[in-house]
Amino acid sequence: MVNSKRWLVWAAAAVCAASVGATTVADLEAQGLKPLNADEIRQLVVGHTLDHKMAGTQTVAPIYYRADGTRTVNAKAFGGRVYDTKWWTDNHQRCEISARTQAAQCGSIFKRGDEYVFCIQGEGVCAWTFTIRPGNPDGLGQ
């Protein structure tokens, strides 16, 4: 039950962050940005750690992506845990099993300056950004 409450708090924070000045796909496209294609996404993530931040926060959730379609997520900063899950590309989107819902979710990735913006399909806003660190410096999943 404790983990459920933590994830509920995390989900509520995500909704709040998303509603306060979050970027939309239309905003990014208006800036002339285009989503990455599937090959670009795989080259970007495989063998690297992506430090995900929710819009409006400085809290980081590092995620290490492997070529075999698995990833290790460190969600401790959001009251969660470290766990392994699946990821893949579909229709030029990065897809994954959501930590919040345990369901598949897909989204487009845009490069904006020194960071990337992840826009989950159907959410209306792009509530996550990430930067990349080469390799697995945190030893996630080892």
Side-chain angles (χ1 to χ4, degrees):
M1 187 65 159
V2 173
N3 274 344
S4 296
K5 287 181 181 178
R6 286 182 182 163
W7 283 111
L8 183 59
V9 169
W10 178 84
V15 169
C16 291
S19 65
V20 180
T23 301
T24 66
V25 170
D27 294 334
L28 296 167
E29 290 174 341
Q31 296 171 33
L33 302 177
K34 296 184 188 284
L36 303 181
N37 66 42
D39 289 336
E40 292 169 324
I41 292 169
R42 281 189 289 276
Q43 290 174 7
L44 182 70
V45 305
V46 171
H48 301 293
T49 300
L50 281 56
D51 289 327
H52 287 73
K53 279 195 301 188
M54 191 183 322
T57 74
Q58 295 302 313
T59 306
V60 174
I63 305 174
Y64 177 68
Y65 289 78
R66 295 176 192 81
D68 68 359
T70 60
R71 66 187 191 143
T72 301
V73 179
N74 181 349
K76 287 182 178 181
F78 291 99
R81 58 189 171 80
V82 176
Y83 63 95
D84 291 327
T85 187
K86 303 245 183 252
W87 77 275
W88 63 97
T89 58
D90 185 30
N91 196 26
H92 301 301
Q93 295 185 328
R94 186 185 78 199
C95 302
E96 59 210 18
I97 302 300
S98 168
R100 289 182 289 163
T101 66
Q102 299 302 304
Q105 66 182 19
C106 296
S108 299
I109 297 175
F110 294 81
K111 181 164 180 24
R112 181 178 64 189
D114 292 337
E115 68 179 1
Y116 293 85
V117 182
F118 182 53
C119 306
I120 298 171
Q121 185 176 340
E123 288 198 357
V125 294
C126 307
W128 293 93
T129 62
F130 64 87
T131 54
I132 299 171
R133 288 185 288 149
N136 187 7
D138 301 333
L140 293 172
Q142 295 179 352

